Amino acid sequence: MSALTLQPHASLSHLDWLESESIHILREVAGQCANPVLLFSGGKDSLVLLRLAEKAFRPGRFPFPLLNIDTGHNYSEVIDFRDFRACQLNERLIVRSVEDSIRRGTVVLKSPDEPRNKHQSVTLLEAIEEFGFDCCIGGARRDEEKARAKERIFSFRDEFGQWDPKNQRSELWDLYNARVHKGENIRAFPISNWTELDVWQYIAREQIELPAIYFAHKRAVVRRGGLLQPVTELTPARAGDVVEELSVRFRTVGDITCTAPVESVADTIARIIEETAATTITERGETRLDDQTSEASMEQRKKEGYF
Amino acid sequence: MSAIERLPEIDNGLLRFLTCGSVDDGKSTLIGRLLYDTKAILADTLHAIARTSERRGLEAVDLSLLTDGLQAEREQGITIDVTYRYFTTGRRKYIVADAPGHEQYTRNMVTAASTANLAIILIDARKGVLTQTRRHSYLAYLLGIPHIVVAINKMDLVDYDQATFERIRADYLEFAATLGIGDVSFIPLSALNGDMIVDRGERIDWYQGPTLLGMLEHAPAAHCERDERFRFPVQFVCRPQRSADLQLHDYRGFMGRVESGEIGVGDEVLILPSEKRSRVKAIEIHGRSLPRAIAEQSVTLLLEDEVDISRGDMIVRTGESTLVTRRIEAMLCWLGETPLDPQRKYLIRQTTRETRAAIEAIGYRLDINTLQRLPAERLGMNDIARASFKLAQPLCVDPYADNRSTGAFIVIDETTNNTVGAGMIL
């Protein structure tokens, strides 16, 4: 008969286990890659990555710089926070912007105010080429979206930055393979196995500081397609829109034109965790206008080099 | 009381498990049911699925659509790669690896099994133990998954008949005995109706055991029962000589994860393969000192003596050495689309160490359907064989059966850089 009974050995809590796995992944990147970089947006997932990097490498400096791909469509609180945090950690921050790619003509906009999330891929690939990065560390999680649920922790990209979901490297145990030829690179995802709730619990436990827009605040919004669209210079109210002043918070940060806040009065991390635990709606569906276009839109963008 | 304290307390760590079965066994439905009944299926995912189901002309929401990911698979209606899903209960966090059942995708199951601590093997109650059941069981056994739950599904289609369940159970046990599979549990269920998954339902009252979720909630986590000898492969050496803090100029931190066992400050250690000795001076993480480090914990070790240690070295406790060897004998699963060529050299990566390797001999190839041993000169994708390798550099190894971390390796093809093989040291 079964021996499915508990043994009295010391073991890690689920957060400790996740933290330890992420540290292991970061150290494998440092051990295997010649010129890695950590993608840092100022968003909560990348702030968690920075804390994990501190745990992995202090008292030494990070064995990689930080890179931000600036869409030019930002909430200034997030950009200010990005700069503050990099400075506080005394680590090198590289910023490359989609605006520059537009000026170079490598990004061509269909309309001047269209969302720039997908154009980040071009600027990212240009930065990878400029600095010769062989690995980009990112804060993507498998629970965010269906296509991500199948991505490897060390995900191979060819010289065009493309992800081929049908031809992924086998990844067994925790034996990661970061070998690439010149021009190719690896995207490494240390928090692949974390969920949104895990991230919030970790932020609370580690007392990680966040940009203010993650907490409930009053903001002018209009309701569009079941989502809230903030009224900003880039996204002005259209004729016939009803502008409401609501208490909202952001669950993800990204391009202003396609990142929607949720109605919330959660003004502390503890209240956000409470809402997150009780929530019945997944992160991206609720807050990313561009993911709603088609069921397979994330997979399509990833194939083209999106993070 | 703060909000955090009111959250369900996750006190039983994390369990990684694997589901194996074919499309027809209702595997995707089972996972969908687990996610659904544990309230982890969130509202808008359901909306999207409801729309897809309408398009396909299905009447009820098809739970299996929750686990299908990639476009190609949606087109073919099958799962062709490993998918990872997450859910949490009041007690535990779960990572589910969903591996496809088709024969040509053995490599996916091996991949999914490599990190799992429990396997759910699905059997269709109408069909009983099939060739694929044996294949899945053998692979779970080969990959060292310590706990197997045989889920006899579609009980609704055999009128919840106890005799059918008992017959399949007896058949399976007979076969499991030939492999040496020890820890097996059996459960009758209907994934479609949700009987015995999270809720007991009312139709299988003759079964007195726990529900499927009940079994998962109480299964030991991997680190509760691992090999207890201390194994610490060094991943990275921290030497902040140029730091502004003068005290750090002599700092040498050996960074890695405790793969098994535990270590305390003052313990005497042996560094492999050099066989130098020292003692643990401190255990740190992010400026915090720890008296001990336990299995699966990522830490930094500081030693009392100035010993030359670099990435790829292994720190063990004195008297608990691994085998340091230039020759390994292993069960090898070939993953590459290009067949193994015994004339070529490959790279082997084991823990944090990498070495070139040559095939010495292929002992036999195993037919995983019949478990017959066949002669072989080359190996194709999905083949499993016993093979021996000569190594350019020594590796510090334990048998895989004793230690899933120091007993495992991958084979890399240097021309493509692809991972083409997975090995379990005998």
Side-chain angles (χ1 to χ4, degrees):
Chain A
M1 201 44 218
S2 166
L4 291 184
T5 47
L6 264 179
Q7 321 252 317
H9 280 270
S11 64
L12 301 177
S13 75
H14 90 287
L15 273 189
D16 286 333
W17 190 92
L18 290 171
E19 177 190 70
S20 182
E21 182 190 45
S22 304
I23 293 170
H24 178 259
I25 292 163
L26 285 166
R27 288 170 172 174
E28 279 307 288
V29 171
Q32 291 191 39
C33 304
N35 189 17
V37 66
L38 186 145
L39 298 188
F40 175 49
S41 65
K44 71 175 195 304
D45 295 337
S46 64
L47 286 161
V48 164
L49 276 188
L50 290 188
R51 172 55 48 87
L52 293 165
E54 288 181 270
K55 297 231 179 185
F57 301 112
R58 292 292 186 245
R61 292 191 64 187
F62 297 172
F64 37 70
L66 316 178
L67 170 67
N68 178 235
I69 302 300
D70 186 338
T71 58
H73 285 178
N74 305 301
Y75 290 101
S76 58
E77 298 95 318
V78 179
I79 293 302
D80 292 347
F81 196 84
R82 173 197 75 187
D83 296 342
F84 158 74
R85 188 69 183 122
C87 181
Q88 191 183 39
L89 287 168
N90 192 26
E91 297 290 346
R92 178 177 170 220
L93 172 68
I94 300 166
V95 178
R96 286 294 175 269
S97 69
V98 176
E99 297 283 351
D100 287 336
S101 302
I102 294 169
R103 252 176 254 126
R104 273 194 292 273
T106 47
V107 165
V108 181
L109 300 176
K110 288 198 197 85
S111 67
D113 57 352
E114 73 175 302
R116 292 179 179 178
N117 270 352
K118 70 171 190 170
H119 298 307
Q120 280 178 290
S121 320
V122 174
T123 312
L124 174 61
L125 292 180
E126 288 171 349
I128 289 172
E129 204 175 327
E130 178 186 351
F131 293 95
F133 294 129
D134 55 358
C135 177
C136 301
I137 304 161
R141 291 180 280 112
R142 284 176 177 156
D143 87 319
E144 282 177 80
E145 208 270 343
K146 275 185 188 175
R148 290 216 196 274
K150 304 204 169 194
E151 185 150 17
R152 304 293 184 252
I153 289 174
F154 278 52
S155 187
F156 174 78
R157 303 298 163 99
D158 66 15
E159 56 185 321
F160 299 100
Q162 297 179 107
W163 179 58
D164 180 358
K166 280 191 169 174
N167 194 20
Q168 300 196 74
R169 277 187 189 168
S170 295
E171 192 164 80
L172 297 103
W173 298 287
D174 45 20
L175 295 172
Y176 305 110
N177 174 1
R179 296 180 71 91
V180 289
H181 290 119
K182 200 169 164 30
E184 302 165 342
N185 66 86
I186 293 289
R187 306 283 167 92
F189 303 111
I191 58 168
S192 285
N193 283 327
W194 297 47
T195 62
E196 188 189 15
L197 184 58
D198 298 327
V199 168
W200 282 113
Q201 287 181 300
Y202 191 71
I203 287 169
R205 189 182 89 174
E206 297 289 317
Q207 303 183 320
I208 296 173
E209 271 188 86
L210 297 179
I213 67 169
Y214 278 111
F215 301 98
H217 57 283
K218 288 266 188 249
R219 190 177 283 273
V221 295
V222 298
R223 294 179 194 274
R224 209 161 270 159
L227 297 173
L228 301 177
Q229 169 110 56
V231 179
T232 66
E233 271 178 40
L234 286 162
T235 53
R238 299 176 202 155
D241 275 347
V242 181
V243 178
E244 295 171 79
E245 187 85 9
L246 295 178
S247 176
V248 298
R249 66 178 171 89
F250 287 85
R251 292 175 65 191
T252 61
V253 298
D255 187 314
I256 280 189
T257 62
C258 62
T259 308
V262 293
E263 272 196 84
S264 168
V265 291
D267 53 359
T268 63
I269 288 170
R271 289 194 181 117
I272 292 171
I273 291 179
E274 196 170 16
E275 273 189 12
T276 306
T279 196
T280 51
I281 300 176
T282 58
E283 186 160 346
R284 281 184 171 261
E286 188 179 34
T287 58
R288 290 283 171 118
L289 297 152
D290 55 344
D291 280 351
Q292 293 207 319
T293 322
S294 86
E295 205 183 329
S297 59
M298 170 68 88
E299 189 182 339
Q300 197 54 45
R301 278 188 292 145
K302 284 174 74 74
K303 283 182 186 167
E304 291 161 4
Y306 183 76
F307 218 79
Chain B
M1 197 162 64
S2 84
I4 297 174
E5 283 160 346
R6 268 182 278 131
L7 262 187
E9 185 69 30
I10 299 173
D11 59 1
N12 210 0
L14 182 144
L15 182 75
R16 300 192 71 156
F17 70 93
L18 157 76
T19 51
C20 359
S22 74
V23 209
D24 312 324
D25 301 328
K27 179 172 51 125
S28 294
T29 307
L30 175 83
I31 300 171
R33 176 61 69 183
L34 270 173
L35 296 170
Y36 188 88
D37 286 355
T38 52
K39 315 290 188 246
I41 295 177
L42 305 175
D44 69 341
T45 317
L46 269 184
H47 283 312
I49 285 159
R51 282 202 308 273
T52 311
S53 297
E54 274 168 38
R55 279 205 300 277
R56 289 193 191 174
L58 304 176
E59 283 182 22
V61 169
D62 181 354
L63 290 169
S64 70
L65 295 179
L66 281 170
T67 53
D68 289 348
L70 301 177
Q71 238 170 350
E73 296 172 348
R74 284 195 290 277
E75 286 152 14
Q76 296 170 31
I78 55 159
T79 314
I80 57 171
D81 201 346
V82 184
T83 309
Y84 296 93
R85 294 280 148 193
Y86 303 83
F87 70 95
T88 179
T89 62
R91 291 175 60 83
R92 224 171 210 193
K93 176 186 163 100
Y94 294 92
I95 303 179
V96 193
D98 181 15
H102 296 263
E103 190 166 8
Q104 61 268 44
Y105 296 114
T106 293
R107 69 168 178 177
N108 289 327
M109 170 151 173
V110 168
T111 302
S114 71
T115 52
N117 200 43
L118 180 147
I120 298 174
I121 294 179
L122 271 146
I123 293 181
D124 183 330
R126 296 169 304 172
K127 296 177 184 160
V129 176
L130 299 176
T131 300
Q132 67 153 13
T133 315
R134 297 197 183 93
R135 185 166 70 231
H136 294 148
S137 303
Y138 175 71
L139 291 175
Y141 165 76
L142 181 70
L143 271 290
I145 298 179
H147 307 288
I148 291 179
V149 173
V150 177
I152 299 165
N153 190 27
K154 306 203 179 179
M155 289 302 293
D156 50 314
L157 298 181
V158 294
D159 292 326
Y160 298 96
D161 175 37
Q162 184 174 4
T164 304
F165 171 78
E166 296 296 348
R167 193 174 60 244
I168 294 171
R169 179 182 139 112
D171 283 355
Y172 189 93
L173 281 173
E174 192 185 324
F175 151 75
T178 63
L179 276 182
I181 294 175
D183 184 7
V184 194
S185 310
F186 296 85
I187 182 168
L189 47 87
S190 163
L192 191 67
N193 298 329
D195 299 317
M196 282 307 159
I197 310 262
V198 172
D199 303 315
R200 298 192 70 84
E202 286 155 10
R203 289 162 284 219
I204 319 183
D205 51 4
W206 46 264
Y207 168 78
Q208 304 298 320
T211 61
L212 184 61
L213 187 66
M215 288 180 175
L216 298 176
E217 292 280 78
H218 293 101
H223 41 260
C224 293
E225 46 180 359
R226 286 262 181 87
D227 180 279
E228 286 177 31
R229 282 171 295 175
F230 174 69
R231 298 289 182 254
F232 190 84
V234 175
Q235 289 185 278
F236 196 75
V237 180
C238 177
R239 300 208 60 186
Q241 292 115 317
R242 285 194 296 276
S243 165
D245 182 350
L246 290 174
Q247 293 205 319
L248 289 176
H249 284 209
D250 293 324
Y251 187 97
R252 273 171 189 236
F254 304 109
M255 299 177 147
R257 188 175 57 179
V258 179
E259 294 297 345
S260 59
E262 52 178 78
I263 191 81
V265 173
D267 287 359
E268 197 179 307
V269 292
L270 186 67
I271 291 92
L272 299 174
S274 70
E275 306 217 354
K276 293 200 179 86
R277 286 161 187 260
S278 187
R279 244 173 229 288
V280 176
K281 185 168 74 180
I283 304 171
E284 290 183 352
I285 187 81
H286 194 199
R288 195 160 55 94
S289 289
L290 308 172
R292 307 194 69 69
I294 61 170
E296 304 198 302
Q297 212 171 0
S298 288
V299 292
T300 302
L301 297 185
L302 288 94
L303 302 183
E304 284 184 354
D305 310 276
E306 226 177 80
V307 198
D308 183 24
I309 299 178
S310 49
R311 174 177 165 85
D313 288 347
M314 173 98 69
I315 302 177
V316 302
R317 239 200 300 246
T318 312
E320 296 179 352
S321 185
T322 65
L323 178 66
V324 178
T325 178
R326 281 177 194 269
R327 186 182 173 279
I328 50 174
E329 182 94 31
M331 292 306 291
L332 178 70
C333 177
W334 197 251
L335 312 165
E337 288 180 17
T338 313
L340 173 140
D341 179 350
Q343 308 303 318
R344 283 188 53 192
K345 305 276 191 297
Y346 291 92
L347 271 178
I348 280 184
R349 177 194 295 282
Q350 177 255 1
T351 65
T352 55
R353 221 170 157 79
E354 210 170 80
T355 175
R356 300 195 80 198
I359 311 285
E360 195 177 64
I362 299 174
Y364 56 83
R365 183 174 73 79
L366 197 76
D367 180 322
I368 55 165
N369 293 324
T370 61
L371 300 185
Q372 257 188 313
R373 296 172 179 190
L374 309 165
E377 303 205 325
R378 293 165 84 85
L379 298 177
M381 187 161 72
N382 298 312
D383 279 349
I384 288 173
R386 180 172 177 143
S388 53
F389 293 86
K390 278 187 296 190
L391 311 172
Q393 300 293 325
L395 294 178
C396 314
V397 307
D398 294 298
Y400 185 80
D402 292 345
N403 196 313
R404 287 175 82 186
S405 176
T406 49
F409 64 88
I410 55 171
V411 182
I412 297 168
D413 180 334
E414 275 181 286
T415 40
T416 60
N417 286 327
N418 262 332
T419 303
V420 292
M424 287 134 286
I425 295 166
L426 292 164

